[in-house]
Amino acid sequence: PHLRTFRDEFQTCKVEGAWPLIDNRFLSVQVTNVPVVLGSSATATSKITVIFKSYHGCTDQKVYQATTDDLPLAFQDGTRSGGESGSLTIVERGGSGVGRQVKIQARYIGTSIIVRRVGSYLTFAIRMPEDTLDFSEDNGGLQLCLHGCPRNELIKEHTLGRQSQQPRVQGTSTELGPLRPPHQVYTVERATAKCRETLQVEDVYFQSCVFDLLTTGDPEFSMAAYGALEDLKALPPSKLKQNSPRTPRLSNRGVSHAAAAAA
Amino acid sequence: CRIQRCNAEYVASTSPSSGLQEDAALDVDYCIALRAYALCTRRQARSCRGDLVYHSAVFRIKELFSQHNCSSDGPTSSAKVPSTSRPAVSELCDYENRVLMSGSAGQQKKYAHCGLFGD
């Protein structure tokens, strides 16, 4: 999936299987990613688990888990809140948003989380106070939100270019994630047009959208990019760093070139 | 290594003028100050790896947690919490309120965003 880290770095990663996004003394977030198409290392998120650790006097430990089949409006113990003062709550987000959305508010740590189900996959967004994050934490460096993806998990343009020699076949095995009907093949022009229709501004989210359409042919992914951008607006970092059109500050700079190569 | 700063902040927050006493067992405010001290030292872990003062502080904090029956999870505060105006639980369980109470209201708190989407 595409990852925007706490440091505002933007990456596209493989990270197949279960990976920790965050693991600190307040909460742990783990995601499971599954391959989306045969012949590509691209994966998408099929499960998200959030553990809110016990916080003395405010909440007991609560676990929230969402899968592609189930986006519950409650913690695993069936409750919708934790603590006497409602310092931990789950609400459904409505409105004109994309897909079904759940918002978890952890007031005691000033943290908000939005989980969406868009098409067959999940998206995740979190806003946390910087002083609750410990960037110097050294627990193997496996916190994708804090340190980004390991180098060997990054999808880079040369990798994409090589893979693009092979035709992309839509996965039909349950091992590769949910069964999905075959999708259309996008050209760069069609993918760009589709993403422009949804996103308007040609930033990193736009480039991710183009990448996803070219990789999977699944138009739902353009909505996932739109949803992620909406989540960024709803849960903005203090200093919102939006990239100017066509000059992305990407770690895997040149996604559009890679996407073009893939096509 | 900035362990001395952690020590100074802890001493300030537990000094008699702050309304706190170390021997005030089970004092909620004291546990808050101790947790803040522990958090501050944890943040110095890497830079203070070879510093004896740091290791002494880590050892002492562990002892104090045990002596005062403080839980290691719970609110922290980087500033003085006057015991005369002890906040309600609902206030302690609200991060924004705690920031206001810690006296850094004028100082805007920074938030970070992380997102994962697409394929």
Side-chain angles (χ1 to χ4, degrees):
Chain A
H2 306 288
L3 172 73
R4 184 189 183 113
T5 70
F6 283 132
R7 289 189 169 100
D8 288 327
E9 289 163 342
F10 207 91
Q11 301 179 338
T12 301
C13 314
K14 290 179 263 185
V15 286
E16 183 180 343
W19 288 80
L21 285 186
I22 300 166
D23 186 18
N24 60 34
R25 63 200 186 98
F26 304 111
L27 80 165
S28 292
V29 181
Q30 181 152 301
V31 292
T32 304
N33 303 306
V34 292
V36 282
V37 282
L38 291 172
S40 165
S41 52
T43 66
T45 304
S46 62
K47 188 195 273 189
I48 295 170
T49 307
V50 186
I51 301 170
F52 294 92
K53 296 179 183 174
S54 168
Y55 195 84
H56 193 67
C58 297
T59 184
D60 295 330
Q61 179 170 294
K62 293 275 177 183
V63 179
Y64 178 80
Q65 190 166 79
T67 63
T68 47
D69 301 323
D70 186 25
L71 184 65
L73 193 55
F75 295 104
Q76 276 196 328
D77 61 5
T79 60
R80 286 188 183 184
S81 62
E84 288 172 19
S85 51
S87 51
L88 178 63
T89 53
I90 296 186
V91 290
E92 184 150 27
R93 285 187 91 215
S96 57
V98 176
R100 199 170 158 240
Q101 307 165 48
V102 163
K103 185 173 185 180
I104 306 173
Q105 195 99 39
R107 276 202 307 143
Y108 62 101
I109 46 174
T111 299
S112 303
I113 292 172
I114 298 175
V115 179
R116 291 174 188 253
R117 184 180 187 273
V118 188
S120 307
Y121 299 102
L122 300 169
T123 71
F124 173 86
I126 187 167
R127 182 188 197 236
M128 283 188 86
E130 276 187 354
D131 62 7
T132 59
L133 300 169
D134 192 351
F135 287 98
S136 66
E137 242 170 47
D138 189 11
N139 48 3
L142 276 181
Q143 292 189 64
L144 303 187
C145 277
L146 221 56
H147 308 297
C149 297
R151 273 187 183 185
N152 58 354
E153 293 293 332
L154 292 172
I155 293 180
K156 292 176 183 167
E157 50 203 301
H158 68 270
T159 316
L160 254 175
R162 195 168 59 238
Q163 287 181 345
S164 69
Q165 308 303 315
Q166 313 290 325
R168 296 282 153 76
V169 182
Q170 193 67 43
T172 53
S173 158
T174 47
E175 286 171 21
L176 296 174
L179 284 167
R180 291 158 54 202
H183 294 295
Q184 53 194 313
V185 176
Y186 276 92
T187 60
V188 177
E189 290 73 25
R190 281 192 61 215
T192 305
K194 173 72 182 165
C195 293
R196 199 170 281 148
E197 208 176 89
T198 316
L199 289 159
Q200 288 145 18
V201 178
E202 296 191 17
D203 57 4
V204 285
Y205 292 87
F206 177 88
Q207 294 193 340
S208 302
C209 172
V210 174
F211 176 98
D212 289 356
L213 293 191
L214 291 174
T215 309
T216 65
D218 183 352
E220 293 279 9
F221 281 113
S222 67
M223 300 314 287
Y226 177 77
L229 192 54
E230 289 295 297
D231 292 345
L232 178 69
K233 290 175 191 166
L235 309 176
S238 296
K239 288 174 187 168
L240 187 59
K241 289 170 193 164
Q242 272 293 74
N243 300 303
S244 58
R246 298 188 189 280
T247 54
R249 201 167 58 87
L250 286 167
S251 300
N252 50 346
R253 206 174 277 271
V255 156
S256 56
H257 294 139
Chain B
C1 175
R2 300 169 80 181
I3 190 64
Q4 295 296 2
R5 191 175 150 191
C6 296
N7 290 349
E9 281 177 4
Y10 168 71
V11 169
S13 64
T14 55
S15 68
S17 61
S18 75
L20 277 174
Q21 297 289 334
E22 265 204 27
D23 58 2
L26 293 172
D27 189 317
V28 174
D29 293 342
Y30 176 71
C31 291
I32 289 172
L34 190 56
R35 277 193 291 268
Y37 188 26
L39 178 64
C40 186
T41 54
R42 264 203 303 276
R43 286 181 172 156
Q44 305 300 324
R46 192 173 276 181
S47 53
C48 296
R49 195 171 284 167
D51 190 296
L52 270 181
V53 177
Y54 162 78
H55 287 284
S56 304
V58 170
F59 183 75
R60 179 72 181 137
I61 289 167
K62 209 172 167 185
E63 278 187 338
L64 290 170
F65 265 113
S66 167
Q67 275 172 25
H68 295 280
N69 205 15
C70 291
S71 164
S72 59
D73 59 69
T76 56
S77 171
S78 54
K80 294 175 185 178
V81 179
S83 61
T84 46
S85 57
R86 183 171 294 172
V89 173
S90 59
E91 287 172 333
L92 281 175
C93 293
D94 186 325
Y95 174 82
E96 301 276 348
N97 260 334
R98 285 203 308 275
V99 170
L100 286 173
M101 287 190 315
S102 71
S104 51
Q107 203 180 318
Q108 202 197 347
K109 279 283 165 191
K110 287 183 182 171
Y111 287 88
H113 174 101
C114 175
L116 187 76
F117 67 99
D119 80 73

